[in-house]
Coordinates of all heavy atoms in Angstrom, one line a residue:
R194 N 7.7 8.3 0.3 CA 6.7 9.2 0.7 C 7.2 10.7 0.5 O 8.3 11.0 0.8 CB 6.4 9.0 2.2 CG 5.3 9.9 2.8 CD 5.0 9.4 4.2 NE 3.9 10.1 4.7 CZ 4.0 10.9 5.8 NH1 5.2 11.1 6.4 NH2 3.0 11.6 6.2
V195 N 6.3 11.5 -0.1 CA 6.6 12.9 -0.2 C 5.6 13.5 0.8 O 4.5 13.2 0.9 CB 6.2 13.4 -1.6 CG1 6.5 14.9 -1.8 CG2 7.0 12.6 -2.7
V196 N 6.2 14.4 1.6 CA 5.4 14.9 2.8 C 5.4 16.5 2.7 O 6.4 17.1 2.3 CB 6.0 14.4 4.1 CG1 7.4 15.0 4.3 CG2 5.1 14.8 5.3
K197 N 4.2 17.0 3.1 CA 4.1 18.4 3.3 C 4.0 18.6 4.8 O 3.1 18.2 5.5 CB 2.8 19.0 2.6 CG 2.6 20.5 2.9 CD 1.3 20.9 2.3 CE 0.5 21.7 3.4 NZ -0.8 22.0 3.1
S198 N 5.0 19.3 5.4 CA 5.1 19.5 6.8 C 4.0 20.5 7.2 O 3.5 21.2 6.4 CB 6.5 19.9 7.2 OG 6.7 21.2 6.6
P199 N 3.7 20.6 8.5 CA 2.7 21.5 9.0 C 3.0 23.0 8.7 O 2.1 23.8 8.5 CB 2.7 21.3 10.5 CG 3.1 19.9 10.7 CD 4.1 19.7 9.6
D200 N 4.3 23.3 8.5 CA 4.7 24.7 8.1 C 4.7 24.9 6.6 O 5.0 26.0 6.1 CB 6.0 25.1 8.7 CG 7.2 24.2 8.3 OD1 6.9 23.1 7.8 OD2 8.3 24.7 8.3
G201 N 4.3 23.9 5.8 CA 4.1 24.1 4.4 C 5.3 23.7 3.5 O 5.3 23.9 2.3
E202 N 6.3 23.1 4.1 CA 7.5 22.7 3.3 C 7.3 21.3 2.8 O 6.9 20.4 3.4 CB 8.7 22.7 4.3 CG 10.0 22.3 3.6 CD 11.2 22.2 4.6 OE1 11.1 22.9 5.6 OE2 12.1 21.5 4.3
V203 N 7.6 21.1 1.5 CA 7.5 19.8 0.8 C 8.9 19.2 0.6 O 9.8 19.8 0.2 CB 6.8 20.0 -0.6 CG1 6.7 18.7 -1.3 CG2 5.5 20.6 -0.5
S204 N 9.0 17.9 1.0 CA 10.2 17.2 0.9 C 10.0 15.7 0.8 O 8.9 15.2 1.1 CB 11.1 17.5 2.1 OG 10.5 17.0 3.3
L205 N 11.0 14.9 0.5 CA 11.0 13.5 0.5 C 11.1 13.0 1.9 O 11.9 13.5 2.7 CB 12.1 12.9 -0.4 CG 11.9 12.8 -1.9 CD1 13.1 12.1 -2.5 CD2 10.6 12.1 -2.2
D206 N 10.4 11.9 2.2 CA 10.5 11.3 3.5 C 10.9 9.8 3.3 O 10.1 9.0 3.1 CB 9.1 11.4 4.2 CG 9.2 10.7 5.6 OD1 10.3 10.4 6.1 OD2 8.1 10.5 6.1
L207 N 12.2 9.6 3.2 CA 12.7 8.3 3.0 C 12.5 7.3 4.1 O 12.4 6.1 3.9 CB 14.2 8.3 2.6 CG 14.5 9.1 1.4 CD1 16.0 9.3 1.2 CD2 13.9 8.5 0.1
T208 N 12.3 7.8 5.4 CA 12.0 7.0 6.5 C 10.6 6.7 6.7 O 10.2 5.6 7.3 CB 12.5 7.6 7.8 OG1 11.8 8.9 8.0 CG2 14.0 7.9 7.7
G209 N 9.7 7.5 6.2 CA 8.2 7.3 6.3 C 7.7 7.7 7.7 O 6.6 7.4 8.0
K210 N 8.5 8.5 8.4 CA 8.1 8.9 9.8 C 7.9 10.4 10.0 O 7.6 10.8 11.1 CB 9.1 8.3 10.8 CG 9.1 6.8 10.7 CD 10.0 6.2 11.8 CE 10.3 4.8 11.6 NZ 9.4 3.9 12.2
K211 N 8.2 11.2 9.0 CA 8.0 12.6 9.2 C 6.5 13.0 9.4 O 5.6 12.3 8.9 CB 8.5 13.4 8.0 CG 10.0 13.4 7.9 CD 10.4 14.3 6.7 CE 11.9 14.3 6.6 NZ 12.3 15.2 5.4
S212 N 6.3 14.0 10.2 CA 4.9 14.4 10.4 C 4.4 15.3 9.3 O 5.2 16.0 8.7 CB 4.7 15.1 11.8 OG 5.4 16.3 11.7
G213 N 3.1 15.2 8.9 CA 2.5 16.0 7.9 C 1.7 15.1 6.9 O 1.6 13.9 7.0
R214 N 1.2 15.8 5.9 CA 0.4 15.2 4.9 C 1.3 14.5 3.9 O 2.3 15.0 3.5 CB -0.4 16.3 4.2 CG -1.2 15.8 3.0 CD -2.6 15.6 3.3 NE -3.4 15.3 2.1 CZ -4.2 14.3 2.0 NH1 -4.3 13.5 3.0 NH2 -4.8 14.0 0.9
G215 N 1.0 13.2 3.6 CA 1.8 12.4 2.7 C 1.2 12.0 1.4 O 0.0 11.8 1.3
A216 N 2.0 11.8 0.4 CA 1.6 11.3 -0.9 C 2.8 10.3 -1.3 O 3.9 10.6 -0.9 CB 1.4 12.3 -1.9
Y217 N 2.5 9.3 -2.1 CA 3.5 8.3 -2.4 C 3.8 8.3 -3.8 O 3.0 8.6 -4.7 CB 3.0 6.9 -1.9 CG 2.9 6.8 -0.4 CD1 1.8 7.3 0.2 CD2 3.9 6.3 0.3 CE1 1.7 7.2 1.6 CE2 3.9 6.2 1.7 CZ 2.7 6.7 2.4 OH 2.6 6.6 3.7
V218 N 5.1 7.9 -4.1 CA 5.6 7.8 -5.5 C 6.5 6.6 -5.6 O 7.2 6.3 -4.6 CB 6.2 9.1 -6.0 CG1 7.5 9.4 -5.3 CG2 6.4 9.1 -7.5
C219 N 6.6 5.9 -6.7 CA 7.6 4.8 -6.9 C 9.0 5.3 -6.7 O 9.3 6.5 -6.8 CB 7.4 4.2 -8.3 SG 5.9 3.4 -8.6
K220 N 9.9 4.4 -6.6 CA 11.3 4.8 -6.4 C 12.0 4.9 -7.8 O 13.2 4.8 -7.9 CB 12.0 3.7 -5.6 CG 11.6 3.6 -4.2 CD 12.3 2.5 -3.4 CE 11.8 2.4 -2.0 NZ 12.4 1.4 -1.3
K221 N 11.2 5.2 -8.8 CA 11.7 5.4 -10.2 C 11.6 6.9 -10.5 O 10.6 7.5 -10.2 CB 10.9 4.6 -11.2 CG 10.9 3.1 -11.0 CD 10.1 2.4 -12.0 CE 9.2 1.4 -11.3 NZ 8.1 1.0 -12.1
A222 N 12.6 7.4 -11.2 CA 12.5 8.8 -11.6 C 11.4 9.1 -12.6 O 10.8 10.2 -12.7 CB 13.9 9.2 -12.2
D223 N 11.1 8.1 -13.4 CA 10.0 8.2 -14.4 C 8.6 8.5 -13.7 O 7.9 9.4 -14.2 CB 9.8 6.9 -15.3 CG 11.0 6.7 -16.2 OD1 11.8 7.7 -16.4 OD2 11.2 5.6 -16.7
C224 N 8.3 7.8 -12.6 CA 7.1 8.1 -11.9 C 7.0 9.5 -11.3 O 6.0 10.1 -11.3 CB 6.9 7.0 -10.9 SG 6.2 5.4 -11.6
L225 N 8.2 9.9 -10.8 CA 8.2 11.3 -10.3 C 8.0 12.3 -11.4 O 7.3 13.3 -11.2 CB 9.6 11.5 -9.6 CG 9.7 12.9 -8.9 CD1 8.7 13.0 -7.8 CD2 11.1 13.1 -8.4
K226 N 8.5 12.0 -12.6 CA 8.3 13.0 -13.7 C 6.9 13.0 -14.1 O 6.3 14.0 -14.4 CB 9.2 12.6 -14.9 CG 10.7 12.9 -14.6 CD 11.6 12.4 -15.7 CE 13.0 12.6 -15.4 NZ 14.0 12.1 -16.3
K227 N 6.2 11.8 -14.1 CA 4.8 11.7 -14.4 C 4.0 12.5 -13.4 O 3.0 13.2 -13.8 CB 4.3 10.3 -14.5 CG 4.8 9.5 -15.7 CD 4.2 8.1 -15.6 CE 4.9 7.1 -16.6 NZ 4.4 5.7 -16.4
A228 N 4.3 12.3 -12.1 CA 3.5 13.0 -11.1 C 3.7 14.5 -11.2 O 2.8 15.3 -11.0 CB 4.0 12.5 -9.7
R229 N 5.0 14.9 -11.6 CA 5.3 16.3 -11.8 C 4.5 16.9 -12.9 O 3.9 18.0 -12.9 CB 6.8 16.5 -12.1 CG 7.2 17.9 -12.2 CD 8.7 17.9 -12.4 NE 9.3 19.2 -12.5 CZ 10.6 19.5 -12.5 NH1 11.5 18.6 -12.5 NH2 11.0 20.8 -12.5
K230 N 4.4 16.1 -14.0 CA 3.7 16.6 -15.2 C 2.2 16.7 -14.9 O 1.5 17.7 -15.4 CB 3.9 15.6 -16.4 CG 3.3 16.1 -17.7 CD 3.7 15.1 -18.8 CE 3.1 15.6 -20.1 NZ 3.4 14.6 -21.2
K231 N 1.6 15.8 -14.2 CA 0.2 15.7 -13.8 C -0.2 16.7 -12.7 O -1.3 16.9 -12.4 CB -0.3 14.3 -13.4 CG -0.2 13.3 -14.5 CD -0.9 12.0 -14.1 CE -0.4 11.3 -12.9 NZ -1.0 10.0 -12.7
K232 N 0.9 17.3 -12.1 CA 0.7 18.2 -10.9 C 0.0 17.4 -9.8 O -0.8 18.0 -9.1 CB 0.0 19.5 -11.3 CG 0.8 20.3 -12.3 CD 0.2 21.6 -12.5 CE 1.1 22.4 -13.5 NZ 0.8 23.8 -13.6
A233 N 0.3 16.2 -9.6 CA -0.4 15.3 -8.6 C -0.1 15.8 -7.2 O -1.0 15.8 -6.4 CB 0.0 13.9 -8.8
F234 N 1.2 16.1 -6.9 CA 1.5 16.6 -5.6 C 0.9 17.9 -5.2 O 0.5 18.1 -4.1 CB 3.0 16.6 -5.4 CG 3.7 15.3 -5.5 CD1 4.7 15.1 -6.4 CD2 3.3 14.2 -4.7 CE1 5.3 13.8 -6.5 CE2 3.9 13.0 -4.8 CZ 4.9 12.8 -5.7
E235 N 0.8 18.8 -6.2 CA 0.2 20.1 -6.0 C -1.3 19.9 -5.7 O -1.8 20.6 -4.8 CB 0.4 21.0 -7.2 CG 1.9 21.3 -7.5 CD 2.1 22.1 -8.7 OE1 1.2 22.7 -9.2 OE2 3.3 22.3 -9.1
R236 N -1.9 19.0 -6.3 CA -3.4 18.7 -6.0 C -3.5 18.1 -4.6 O -4.4 18.4 -3.8 CB -4.0 17.8 -7.1 CG -4.6 18.6 -8.2 CD -5.4 17.8 -9.1 NE -4.5 17.2 -10.1 CZ -4.2 15.9 -10.3 NH1 -4.9 15.0 -9.6 NH2 -3.4 15.5 -11.1
A237 N -2.6 17.2 -4.3 CA -2.7 16.4 -3.0 C -2.4 17.4 -1.8 O -3.0 17.2 -0.8 CB -1.7 15.3 -3.0
F238 N -1.5 18.3 -2.0 CA -1.1 19.2 -0.9 C -1.8 20.6 -1.0 O -1.7 21.3 0.0 CB 0.4 19.4 -0.9 CG 1.2 18.1 -0.7 CD1 2.3 17.9 -1.4 CD2 0.8 17.2 0.2 CE1 3.1 16.7 -1.3 CE2 1.5 16.0 0.3 CZ 2.6 15.8 -0.4

């Protein structure tokens, strides 16, 4: 889970319990690179 906290900070949430808006990505670096290229997290947050 990638989470945007209420104060606007974006970080990985390995536990899945942080508060805030979440988006998900595979545990592969390739999928993170694809999401980065598509600007998927920027659109989600």
Side-chain angles (χ1 to χ4, degrees):
R194 185 170 182 245
V195 179
V196 66
K197 178 186 129 188
S198 65
D200 62 336
E202 182 183 333
V203 177
S204 63
L205 277 185
D206 181 12
L207 298 174
T208 62
K210 298 184 191 270
K211 287 184 182 178
S212 65
R214 173 102 174 127
Y217 293 85
V218 69
C219 293
K220 294 179 181 178
K221 300 179 226 158
D223 291 343
C224 281
L225 183 63
K226 288 176 186 174
K227 286 179 191 176
R229 182 179 186 174
K230 187 176 180 181
K231 293 192 298 189
K232 297 188 180 192
F234 295 123
E235 295 179 13
R236 269 187 277 118
F238 299 139

